[in-house]
Amino acid sequence: MIACNCAVCLSDNSKDKRYRSSLLVQSDTTSLVVDTTPDFRSQMLQHQVKKLDAVLFTHPHKDHVAGLDDIKAYNYFHQQPMKVYANMLTQSALKREFSYIFDENKYPGVPDVELIEIPEASFLVGDIPVTPIWVWHLKMPVLGFRFGHFTYITDANRIEPEQQRKILGSKVLVLNALRKEKHLSHFTLDEAVELAKQCQVPDVYFTHISHQMGFHQAINRELPSSMQLAYDGLSISLD
Ligand SMILES: [Zn+2]
Ligand SMILES: [Zn+2]
Ligand SMILES: [Zn+2]
């Protein structure tokens, strides 16, 4: 955290340095990101992501949308609009907060975006199957996504039973866990561990971690063997 002098922020362990949370999903033919964080540009440069077919948004909070402007590099190299999947809540926030992108008379070189509403049912992005999972972030509906056997849920503090059932059978679950202390709109570590146990997923990673959580290594030692903290650059392969 900017200007913080706590032991985690001063740690030498790279796994204690946390960019804002997002996800890159790649198949043989298709690449998509979930959210464009304020760190999007650095993340794409660092991981040398040369091709991006789509962006899926979870919700309109700034730490998940602020990097949208930087998709213009992909417009330039791919010579096509970026497919941006979002619910109506997020779409109206994007139109307000990035009004120049959606102007009638656009300034040359601004991002070229094709907005697509996320349906209730499963859909395909290229050859990647996507199942939306609706979760609650205090009073805001947020989208989690299941891609085959991989489920990603960020910024939630409650999941209704019929949505939670969509997680069952996943091989990997990434779930938000902000810190140990109670929070209004995010799962705590204990709440996330409990939910992960209920879902019986064999491989669980926690993300959207605050510096208040503590050190990566110390927290991992406290967790059940099937669960661990995610970290920047973590890469997972699925068949
Ligand atoms: Zn700190
Ligand atoms: Zn949020
Ligand atoms: Zn967030």
mmCIF file of all heavy atoms in Angstrom, residues 14-58:
data_model
loop_
_atom_site.group_PDB
_atom_site.id
_atom_site.type_symbol
_atom_site.label_atom_id
_atom_site.label_comp_id
_atom_site.label_asym_id
_atom_site.label_seq_id
_atom_site.Cartn_x
_atom_site.Cartn_y
_atom_site.Cartn_z
ATOM 1 N N SER A 14 9.089 -11.371 -2.864
ATOM 2 C CA SER A 14 8.290 -10.851 -3.990
ATOM 3 C C SER A 14 6.819 -11.277 -3.865
ATOM 4 O O SER A 14 5.935 -10.618 -4.393
ATOM 5 C CB SER A 14 8.872 -11.327 -5.323
ATOM 6 O OG SER A 14 8.817 -12.736 -5.388
ATOM 7 N N LYS A 15 6.563 -12.400 -3.164
ATOM 8 C CA LYS A 15 5.177 -12.854 -3.016
ATOM 9 C C LYS A 15 4.378 -11.991 -2.030
ATOM 10 O O LYS A 15 3.164 -12.163 -1.887
ATOM 11 C CB LYS A 15 5.142 -14.324 -2.616
ATOM 12 C CG LYS A 15 5.616 -15.203 -3.768
ATOM 13 C CD LYS A 15 5.638 -16.663 -3.427
ATOM 14 C CE LYS A 15 6.106 -17.458 -4.652
ATOM 15 N NZ LYS A 15 6.381 -18.852 -4.341
ATOM 16 N N ASP A 16 5.055 -11.071 -1.347
ATOM 17 C CA ASP A 16 4.337 -10.098 -0.515
ATOM 18 C C ASP A 16 4.061 -8.798 -1.273
ATOM 19 O O ASP A 16 3.470 -7.875 -0.722
ATOM 20 C CB ASP A 16 5.137 -9.799 0.755
ATOM 21 C CG ASP A 16 5.146 -10.986 1.709
ATOM 22 O OD1 ASP A 16 4.097 -11.639 1.855
ATOM 23 O OD2 ASP A 16 6.210 -11.259 2.298
ATOM 24 N N LYS A 17 4.511 -8.720 -2.541
ATOM 25 C CA LYS A 17 4.226 -7.533 -3.386
ATOM 26 C C LYS A 17 3.026 -7.873 -4.246
ATOM 27 O O LYS A 17 3.086 -8.803 -5.049
ATOM 28 C CB LYS A 17 5.416 -7.213 -4.296
ATOM 29 C CG LYS A 17 6.751 -7.136 -3.584
ATOM 30 C CD LYS A 17 6.909 -5.820 -2.854
ATOM 31 C CE LYS A 17 8.248 -5.770 -2.112
ATOM 32 N NZ LYS A 17 8.123 -5.039 -0.821
ATOM 33 N N ARG A 18 1.944 -7.157 -4.069
ATOM 34 C CA ARG A 18 0.699 -7.554 -4.723
ATOM 35 C C ARG A 18 0.143 -6.460 -5.622
ATOM 36 O O ARG A 18 -0.291 -5.420 -5.147
ATOM 37 C CB ARG A 18 -0.341 -7.930 -3.654
ATOM 38 C CG ARG A 18 0.103 -9.146 -2.846
ATOM 39 C CD ARG A 18 -0.634 -9.275 -1.520
ATOM 40 N NE ARG A 18 -0.057 -10.375 -0.737
ATOM 41 C CZ ARG A 18 0.007 -10.404 0.586
ATOM 42 N NH1 ARG A 18 -0.484 -9.402 1.293
ATOM 43 N NH2 ARG A 18 0.564 -11.426 1.208
ATOM 44 N N TYR A 19 0.144 -6.732 -6.928
ATOM 45 C CA TYR A 19 -0.617 -5.895 -7.839
ATOM 46 C C TYR A 19 -2.098 -6.145 -7.584
ATOM 47 O O TYR A 19 -2.477 -7.118 -6.937
ATOM 48 C CB TYR A 19 -0.312 -6.266 -9.296
ATOM 49 C CG TYR A 19 0.955 -5.685 -9.885
ATOM 50 C CD1 TYR A 19 1.559 -6.281 -10.991
ATOM 51 C CD2 TYR A 19 1.536 -4.530 -9.366
ATOM 52 C CE1 TYR A 19 2.705 -5.741 -11.559
ATOM 53 C CE2 TYR A 19 2.679 -3.991 -9.934
ATOM 54 C CZ TYR A 19 3.259 -4.599 -11.026
ATOM 55 O OH TYR A 19 4.375 -4.074 -11.610
ATOM 56 N N ARG A 20 -2.964 -5.281 -8.156
ATOM 57 C CA ARG A 20 -4.397 -5.502 -8.030
ATOM 58 C C ARG A 20 -4.779 -6.792 -8.759
ATOM 59 O O ARG A 20 -4.116 -7.207 -9.713
ATOM 60 C CB ARG A 20 -5.173 -4.302 -8.567
ATOM 61 C CG ARG A 20 -5.556 -3.277 -7.496
ATOM 62 C CD ARG A 20 -4.389 -2.652 -6.749
ATOM 63 N NE ARG A 20 -3.536 -1.824 -7.584
ATOM 64 C CZ ARG A 20 -3.693 -0.525 -7.793
ATOM 65 N NH1 ARG A 20 -4.647 0.123 -7.175
ATOM 66 N NH2 ARG A 20 -2.850 0.152 -8.566
ATOM 67 N N SER A 21 -5.893 -7.424 -8.321
ATOM 68 C CA SER A 21 -6.228 -8.784 -8.760
ATOM 69 C C SER A 21 -6.832 -8.820 -10.152
ATOM 70 O O SER A 21 -7.772 -8.086 -10.440
ATOM 71 C CB SER A 21 -7.259 -9.392 -7.805
ATOM 72 O OG SER A 21 -6.799 -9.279 -6.487
ATOM 73 N N SER A 22 -6.300 -9.713 -10.985
ATOM 74 C CA SER A 22 -6.959 -10.052 -12.236
ATOM 75 C C SER A 22 -6.463 -11.412 -12.681
ATOM 76 O O SER A 22 -5.689 -12.067 -11.976
ATOM 77 C CB SER A 22 -6.736 -8.983 -13.307
ATOM 78 O OG SER A 22 -5.402 -8.998 -13.738
ATOM 79 N N LEU A 23 -6.936 -11.816 -13.866
ATOM 80 C CA LEU A 23 -6.687 -13.185 -14.313
ATOM 81 C C LEU A 23 -6.557 -13.198 -15.823
ATOM 82 O O LEU A 23 -7.330 -12.549 -16.521
ATOM 83 C CB LEU A 23 -7.900 -14.037 -13.898
ATOM 84 C CG LEU A 23 -7.979 -15.469 -14.393
ATOM 85 C CD1 LEU A 23 -6.981 -16.329 -13.636
ATOM 86 C CD2 LEU A 23 -9.391 -16.011 -14.184
ATOM 87 N N LEU A 24 -5.581 -13.946 -16.337
ATOM 88 C CA LEU A 24 -5.449 -14.193 -17.779
ATOM 89 C C LEU A 24 -5.801 -15.656 -18.027
ATOM 90 O O LEU A 24 -5.249 -16.540 -17.367
ATOM 91 C CB LEU A 24 -4.003 -13.917 -18.215
ATOM 92 C CG LEU A 24 -3.619 -14.295 -19.644
ATOM 93 C CD1 LEU A 24 -4.313 -13.393 -20.663
ATOM 94 C CD2 LEU A 24 -2.101 -14.206 -19.827
ATOM 95 N N VAL A 25 -6.738 -15.902 -18.939
ATOM 96 C CA VAL A 25 -7.126 -17.278 -19.285
ATOM 97 C C VAL A 25 -6.747 -17.511 -20.743
ATOM 98 O O VAL A 25 -7.136 -16.733 -21.617
ATOM 99 C CB VAL A 25 -8.648 -17.492 -19.113
ATOM 100 C CG1 VAL A 25 -9.029 -18.933 -19.453
ATOM 101 C CG2 VAL A 25 -9.066 -17.157 -17.686
ATOM 102 N N GLN A 26 -5.985 -18.566 -20.986
ATOM 103 C CA GLN A 26 -5.522 -18.846 -22.347
ATOM 104 C C GLN A 26 -5.849 -20.274 -22.755
ATOM 105 O O GLN A 26 -5.606 -21.206 -21.989
ATOM 106 C CB GLN A 26 -4.003 -18.653 -22.446
ATOM 107 C CG GLN A 26 -3.581 -17.198 -22.302
ATOM 108 C CD GLN A 26 -2.082 -17.009 -22.366
ATOM 109 O OE1 GLN A 26 -1.344 -17.642 -21.619
ATOM 110 N NE2 GLN A 26 -1.631 -16.135 -23.252
ATOM 111 N N SER A 27 -6.386 -20.429 -23.968
ATOM 112 C CA SER A 27 -6.521 -21.750 -24.583
ATOM 113 C C SER A 27 -5.574 -21.769 -25.787
ATOM 114 O O SER A 27 -4.798 -20.833 -25.979
ATOM 115 C CB SER A 27 -7.965 -21.972 -25.041
ATOM 116 O OG SER A 27 -8.245 -21.125 -26.135
ATOM 117 N N ASP A 28 -5.668 -22.818 -26.613
ATOM 118 C CA ASP A 28 -4.801 -22.869 -27.801
ATOM 119 C C ASP A 28 -5.060 -21.698 -28.732
ATOM 120 O O ASP A 28 -4.161 -21.220 -29.418
ATOM 121 C CB ASP A 28 -5.024 -24.184 -28.567
ATOM 122 C CG ASP A 28 -4.452 -25.369 -27.803
ATOM 123 O OD1 ASP A 28 -3.572 -25.140 -26.945
ATOM 124 O OD2 ASP A 28 -4.894 -26.502 -28.053
ATOM 125 N N THR A 29 -6.318 -21.224 -28.781
ATOM 126 C CA THR A 29 -6.662 -20.201 -29.776
ATOM 127 C C THR A 29 -7.103 -18.869 -29.184
ATOM 128 O O THR A 29 -7.198 -17.887 -29.908
ATOM 129 C CB THR A 29 -7.822 -20.687 -30.682
ATOM 130 O OG1 THR A 29 -8.979 -20.889 -29.863
ATOM 131 C CG2 THR A 29 -7.480 -21.996 -31.378
ATOM 132 N N THR A 30 -7.419 -18.825 -27.907
ATOM 133 C CA THR A 30 -8.083 -17.647 -27.347
ATOM 134 C C THR A 30 -7.403 -17.198 -26.049
ATOM 135 O O THR A 30 -6.987 -18.029 -25.245
ATOM 136 C CB THR A 30 -9.567 -17.973 -27.059
ATOM 137 O OG1 THR A 30 -10.163 -18.486 -28.255
ATOM 138 C CG2 THR A 30 -10.326 -16.746 -26.608
ATOM 139 N N SER A 31 -7.309 -15.869 -25.884
ATOM 140 C CA SER A 31 -6.800 -15.292 -24.633
ATOM 141 C C SER A 31 -7.784 -14.250 -24.138
ATOM 142 O O SER A 31 -8.207 -13.383 -24.911
ATOM 143 C CB SER A 31 -5.468 -14.571 -24.858
ATOM 144 O OG SER A 31 -4.490 -15.451 -25.322
ATOM 145 N N LEU A 32 -8.118 -14.312 -22.863
ATOM 146 C CA LEU A 32 -8.982 -13.275 -22.289
ATOM 147 C C LEU A 32 -8.453 -12.889 -20.916
ATOM 148 O O LEU A 32 -7.740 -13.662 -20.278
ATOM 149 C CB LEU A 32 -10.432 -13.770 -22.204
ATOM 150 C CG LEU A 32 -10.758 -14.952 -21.299
ATOM 151 C CD1 LEU A 32 -11.035 -14.525 -19.859
ATOM 152 C CD2 LEU A 32 -11.991 -15.699 -21.827
ATOM 153 N N VAL A 33 -8.781 -11.666 -20.503
ATOM 154 C CA VAL A 33 -8.490 -11.271 -19.126
ATOM 155 C C VAL A 33 -9.794 -11.029 -18.388
ATOM 156 O O VAL A 33 -10.794 -10.625 -18.979
ATOM 157 C CB VAL A 33 -7.607 -10.004 -18.978
ATOM 158 C CG1 VAL A 33 -6.167 -10.279 -19.365
ATOM 159 C CG2 VAL A 33 -8.173 -8.827 -19.733
ATOM 160 N N VAL A 34 -9.776 -11.314 -17.095
ATOM 161 C CA VAL A 34 -10.874 -10.930 -16.223
ATOM 162 C C VAL A 34 -10.408 -9.675 -15.491
ATOM 163 O O VAL A 34 -9.440 -9.715 -14.724
ATOM 164 C CB VAL A 34 -11.225 -12.049 -15.230
ATOM 165 C CG1 VAL A 34 -12.313 -11.573 -14.270
ATOM 166 C CG2 VAL A 34 -11.672 -13.303 -15.968
ATOM 167 N N ASP A 35 -11.058 -8.550 -15.795
ATOM 168 C CA ASP A 35 -10.789 -7.220 -15.246
ATOM 169 C C ASP A 35 -9.506 -6.589 -15.825
ATOM 170 O O ASP A 35 -8.559 -7.284 -16.187
ATOM 171 C CB ASP A 35 -10.718 -7.234 -13.711
ATOM 172 C CG ASP A 35 -12.071 -7.591 -13.083
ATOM 173 O OD1 ASP A 35 -13.105 -7.283 -13.712
ATOM 174 O OD2 ASP A 35 -12.071 -8.156 -11.974
ATOM 175 N N THR A 36 -9.551 -5.262 -15.923
ATOM 176 C CA THR A 36 -8.370 -4.479 -16.313
ATOM 177 C C THR A 36 -8.057 -3.554 -15.137
ATOM 178 O O THR A 36 -8.655 -2.497 -14.992
ATOM 179 C CB THR A 36 -8.629 -3.651 -17.594
ATOM 180 O OG1 THR A 36 -9.793 -2.844 -17.415
ATOM 181 C CG2 THR A 36 -8.820 -4.546 -18.805
ATOM 182 N N THR A 37 -7.151 -3.987 -14.299
ATOM 183 C CA THR A 37 -6.858 -3.258 -13.060
ATOM 184 C C THR A 37 -6.001 -2.028 -13.372
ATOM 185 O O THR A 37 -5.524 -1.866 -14.502
ATOM 186 C CB THR A 37 -6.084 -4.159 -12.070
ATOM 187 O OG1 THR A 37 -4.695 -4.161 -12.436
ATOM 188 C CG2 THR A 37 -6.609 -5.587 -12.066
ATOM 189 N N PRO A 38 -5.782 -1.161 -12.382
ATOM 190 C CA PRO A 38 -4.857 -0.042 -12.590
ATOM 191 C C PRO A 38 -3.451 -0.548 -12.946
ATOM 192 O O PRO A 38 -2.640 0.220 -13.475
ATOM 193 C CB PRO A 38 -4.842 0.664 -11.227
ATOM 194 C CG PRO A 38 -6.077 0.204 -10.531
ATOM 195 C CD PRO A 38 -6.379 -1.171 -11.046
ATOM 196 N N ASP A 39 -3.164 -1.809 -12.653
ATOM 197 C CA ASP A 39 -1.853 -2.398 -12.957
ATOM 198 C C ASP A 39 -1.858 -3.175 -14.272
ATOM 199 O O ASP A 39 -0.864 -3.834 -14.600
ATOM 200 C CB ASP A 39 -1.452 -3.358 -11.815
ATOM 201 C CG ASP A 39 -1.434 -2.673 -10.464
ATOM 202 O OD1 ASP A 39 -0.852 -1.577 -10.360
ATOM 203 O OD2 ASP A 39 -2.017 -3.219 -9.506
ATOM 204 N N PHE A 40 -2.944 -3.115 -15.027
ATOM 205 C CA PHE A 40 -3.097 -3.918 -16.247
ATOM 206 C C PHE A 40 -1.903 -3.787 -17.196
ATOM 207 O O PHE A 40 -1.352 -4.781 -17.676
ATOM 208 C CB PHE A 40 -4.392 -3.505 -16.956
ATOM 209 C CG PHE A 40 -4.623 -4.131 -18.300
ATOM 210 C CD1 PHE A 40 -4.923 -5.484 -18.419
ATOM 211 C CD2 PHE A 40 -4.545 -3.365 -19.460
ATOM 212 C CE1 PHE A 40 -5.148 -6.061 -19.670
ATOM 213 C CE2 PHE A 40 -4.770 -3.940 -20.708
ATOM 214 C CZ PHE A 40 -5.068 -5.289 -20.812
ATOM 215 N N ARG A 41 -1.487 -2.538 -17.447
ATOM 216 C CA ARG A 41 -0.394 -2.321 -18.407
ATOM 217 C C ARG A 41 0.882 -3.027 -17.948
ATOM 218 O O ARG A 41 1.526 -3.751 -18.708
ATOM 219 C CB ARG A 41 -0.146 -0.822 -18.586
ATOM 220 C CG ARG A 41 0.952 -0.503 -19.570
ATOM 221 C CD ARG A 41 1.000 1.007 -19.875
ATOM 222 N NE ARG A 41 2.011 1.285 -20.879
ATOM 223 C CZ ARG A 41 3.294 1.468 -20.599
ATOM 224 N NH1 ARG A 41 3.724 1.425 -19.346
ATOM 225 N NH2 ARG A 41 4.156 1.710 -21.569
ATOM 226 N N SER A 42 1.219 -2.849 -16.672
ATOM 227 C CA SER A 42 2.430 -3.488 -16.137
ATOM 228 C C SER A 42 2.311 -5.008 -16.169
ATOM 229 O O SER A 42 3.273 -5.711 -16.473
ATOM 230 C CB SER A 42 2.671 -3.048 -14.688
ATOM 231 O OG SER A 42 2.658 -1.649 -14.605
ATOM 232 N N GLN A 43 1.114 -5.510 -15.872
ATOM 233 C CA GLN A 43 0.902 -6.960 -15.866
ATOM 234 C C GLN A 43 1.076 -7.546 -17.270
ATOM 235 O O GLN A 43 1.725 -8.580 -17.452
ATOM 236 C CB GLN A 43 -0.504 -7.279 -15.316
ATOM 237 C CG GLN A 43 -0.631 -7.003 -13.817
ATOM 238 C CD GLN A 43 -2.075 -6.919 -13.331
ATOM 239 O OE1 GLN A 43 -2.971 -6.491 -14.049
ATOM 240 N NE2 GLN A 43 -2.303 -7.311 -12.078
ATOM 241 N N MET A 44 0.509 -6.884 -18.264
ATOM 242 C CA MET A 44 0.605 -7.390 -19.640
ATOM 243 C C MET A 44 2.045 -7.300 -20.156
ATOM 244 O O MET A 44 2.519 -8.196 -20.860
ATOM 245 C CB MET A 44 -0.332 -6.612 -20.565
ATOM 246 C CG MET A 44 -1.815 -6.780 -20.275
ATOM 247 S SD MET A 44 -2.413 -8.493 -20.350
ATOM 248 C CE MET A 44 -2.510 -8.872 -18.593
ATOM 249 N N LEU A 45 2.739 -6.222 -19.800
ATOM 250 C CA LEU A 45 4.140 -6.086 -20.222
ATOM 251 C C LEU A 45 5.002 -7.142 -19.545
ATOM 252 O O LEU A 45 5.797 -7.823 -20.186
ATOM 253 C CB LEU A 45 4.656 -4.683 -19.864
ATOM 254 C CG LEU A 45 4.164 -3.542 -20.751
ATOM 255 C CD1 LEU A 45 4.578 -2.200 -20.154
ATOM 256 C CD2 LEU A 45 4.706 -3.680 -22.172
ATOM 257 N N GLN A 46 4.809 -7.299 -18.239
ATOM 258 C CA GLN A 46 5.632 -8.231 -17.471
ATOM 259 C C GLN A 46 5.470 -9.659 -17.975
ATOM 260 O O GLN A 46 6.434 -10.411 -18.028
ATOM 261 C CB GLN A 46 5.225 -8.138 -16.000
ATOM 262 C CG GLN A 46 6.240 -8.674 -15.052
ATOM 263 C CD GLN A 46 5.941 -8.190 -13.633
ATOM 264 O OE1 GLN A 46 5.494 -7.067 -13.412
ATOM 265 N NE2 GLN A 46 6.162 -9.051 -12.659
ATOM 266 N N HIS A 47 4.248 -10.035 -18.342
ATOM 267 C CA HIS A 47 3.995 -11.418 -18.764
ATOM 268 C C HIS A 47 3.945 -11.551 -20.284
ATOM 269 O O HIS A 47 3.564 -12.603 -20.807
ATOM 270 C CB HIS A 47 2.732 -11.953 -18.083
ATOM 271 C CG HIS A 47 2.900 -11.962 -16.587
ATOM 272 N ND1 HIS A 47 3.697 -12.885 -15.955
ATOM 273 C CD2 HIS A 47 2.467 -11.118 -15.631
ATOM 274 C CE1 HIS A 47 3.721 -12.611 -14.643
ATOM 275 N NE2 HIS A 47 2.982 -11.540 -14.432
ATOM 276 N N GLN A 48 4.353 -10.480 -20.979
ATOM 277 C CA GLN A 48 4.503 -10.492 -22.440
ATOM 278 C C GLN A 48 3.287 -11.069 -23.152
ATOM 279 O O GLN A 48 3.393 -11.979 -23.965
ATOM 280 C CB GLN A 48 5.764 -11.267 -22.817
ATOM 281 C CG GLN A 48 7.000 -10.623 -22.216
ATOM 282 C CD GLN A 48 8.287 -11.351 -22.580
ATOM 283 O OE1 GLN A 48 8.418 -11.865 -23.692
ATOM 284 N NE2 GLN A 48 9.218 -11.398 -21.659
ATOM 285 N N VAL A 49 2.128 -10.540 -22.792
ATOM 286 C CA VAL A 49 0.874 -10.990 -23.399
ATOM 287 C C VAL A 49 0.708 -10.256 -24.738
ATOM 288 O O VAL A 49 0.399 -9.072 -24.771
ATOM 289 C CB VAL A 49 -0.322 -10.722 -22.464
ATOM 290 C CG1 VAL A 49 -1.617 -11.217 -23.109
ATOM 291 C CG2 VAL A 49 -0.095 -11.407 -21.118
ATOM 292 N N LYS A 50 0.945 -10.970 -25.826
ATOM 293 C CA LYS A 50 0.971 -10.347 -27.159
ATOM 294 C C LYS A 50 -0.390 -10.387 -27.837
ATOM 295 O O LYS A 50 -0.595 -9.730 -28.853
ATOM 296 C CB LYS A 50 1.982 -11.066 -28.064
ATOM 297 C CG LYS A 50 3.347 -11.256 -27.456
ATOM 298 C CD LYS A 50 4.198 -10.016 -27.599
ATOM 299 C CE LYS A 50 5.516 -10.255 -26.886
ATOM 300 N NZ LYS A 50 6.564 -9.359 -27.124
ATOM 301 N N LYS A 51 -1.286 -11.227 -27.323
ATOM 302 C CA LYS A 51 -2.581 -11.402 -27.980
ATOM 303 C C LYS A 51 -3.662 -11.400 -26.906
ATOM 304 O O LYS A 51 -3.537 -12.100 -25.894
ATOM 305 C CB LYS A 51 -2.575 -12.738 -28.710
ATOM 306 C CG LYS A 51 -3.888 -13.124 -29.377
ATOM 307 C CD LYS A 51 -3.712 -14.458 -30.113
ATOM 308 C CE LYS A 51 -4.993 -14.933 -30.764
ATOM 309 N NZ LYS A 51 -5.989 -15.406 -29.814
ATOM 310 N N LEU A 52 -4.703 -10.598 -27.138
ATOM 311 C CA LEU A 52 -5.814 -10.567 -26.193
ATOM 312 C C LEU A 52 -7.106 -10.428 -26.983
ATOM 313 O O LEU A 52 -7.278 -9.479 -27.752
ATOM 314 C CB LEU A 52 -5.644 -9.394 -25.216
ATOM 315 C CG LEU A 52 -6.627 -9.375 -24.044
ATOM 316 C CD1 LEU A 52 -6.428 -10.583 -23.132
ATOM 317 C CD2 LEU A 52 -6.460 -8.094 -23.223
ATOM 318 N N ASP A 53 -8.014 -11.393 -26.834
ATOM 319 C CA ASP A 53 -9.244 -11.419 -27.620
ATOM 320 C C ASP A 53 -10.422 -10.776 -26.906
ATOM 321 O O ASP A 53 -11.376 -10.353 -27.558
ATOM 322 C CB ASP A 53 -9.622 -12.871 -27.962
ATOM 323 C CG ASP A 53 -8.511 -13.551 -28.741
ATOM 324 O OD1 ASP A 53 -8.259 -13.125 -29.873
ATOM 325 O OD2 ASP A 53 -7.875 -14.478 -28.195
ATOM 326 N N ALA A 54 -10.390 -10.761 -25.567
ATOM 327 C CA ALA A 54 -11.571 -10.268 -24.846
ATOM 328 C C ALA A 54 -11.226 -9.882 -23.417
ATOM 329 O O ALA A 54 -10.238 -10.361 -22.842
ATOM 330 C CB ALA A 54 -12.659 -11.347 -24.837
ATOM 331 N N VAL A 55 -12.073 -8.998 -22.879
ATOM 332 C CA VAL A 55 -12.024 -8.633 -21.462
ATOM 333 C C VAL A 55 -13.376 -9.001 -20.862
ATOM 334 O O VAL A 55 -14.421 -8.700 -21.455
ATOM 335 C CB VAL A 55 -11.793 -7.115 -21.272
ATOM 336 C CG1 VAL A 55 -11.868 -6.733 -19.804
ATOM 337 C CG2 VAL A 55 -10.467 -6.671 -21.891
ATOM 338 N N LEU A 56 -13.359 -9.665 -19.704
ATOM 339 C CA LEU A 56 -14.592 -9.935 -18.959
ATOM 340 C C LEU A 56 -14.515 -9.142 -17.662
ATOM 341 O O LEU A 56 -13.519 -9.251 -16.940
ATOM 342 C CB LEU A 56 -14.706 -11.425 -18.605
ATOM 343 C CG LEU A 56 -15.321 -12.371 -19.637
ATOM 344 C CD1 LEU A 56 -14.486 -12.437 -20.906
ATOM 345 C CD2 LEU A 56 -15.462 -13.766 -19.036
ATOM 346 N N PHE A 57 -15.549 -8.346 -17.375
ATOM 347 C CA PHE A 57 -15.524 -7.573 -16.135
ATOM 348 C C PHE A 57 -16.378 -8.221 -15.052
ATOM 349 O O PHE A 57 -17.482 -8.716 -15.315
ATOM 350 C CB PHE A 57 -16.007 -6.139 -16.370
ATOM 351 C CG PHE A 57 -14.954 -5.253 -16.959
ATOM 352 C CD1 PHE A 57 -15.122 -4.682 -18.217
ATOM 353 C CD2 PHE A 57 -13.782 -4.987 -16.263
ATOM 354 C CE1 PHE A 57 -14.142 -3.862 -18.766
ATOM 355 C CE2 PHE A 57 -12.800 -4.169 -16.801
ATOM 356 C CZ PHE A 57 -12.982 -3.611 -18.058
ATOM 357 N N THR A 58 -15.853 -8.186 -13.831
ATOM 358 C CA THR A 58 -16.580 -8.734 -12.677
ATOM 359 C C THR A 58 -17.551 -7.705 -12.105
ATOM 360 O O THR A 58 -18.678 -8.032 -11.754
ATOM 361 C CB THR A 58 -15.613 -9.163 -11.566
ATOM 362 O OG1 THR A 58 -14.814 -8.027 -11.164
ATOM 363 C CG2 THR A 58 -14.704 -10.288 -12.042
#
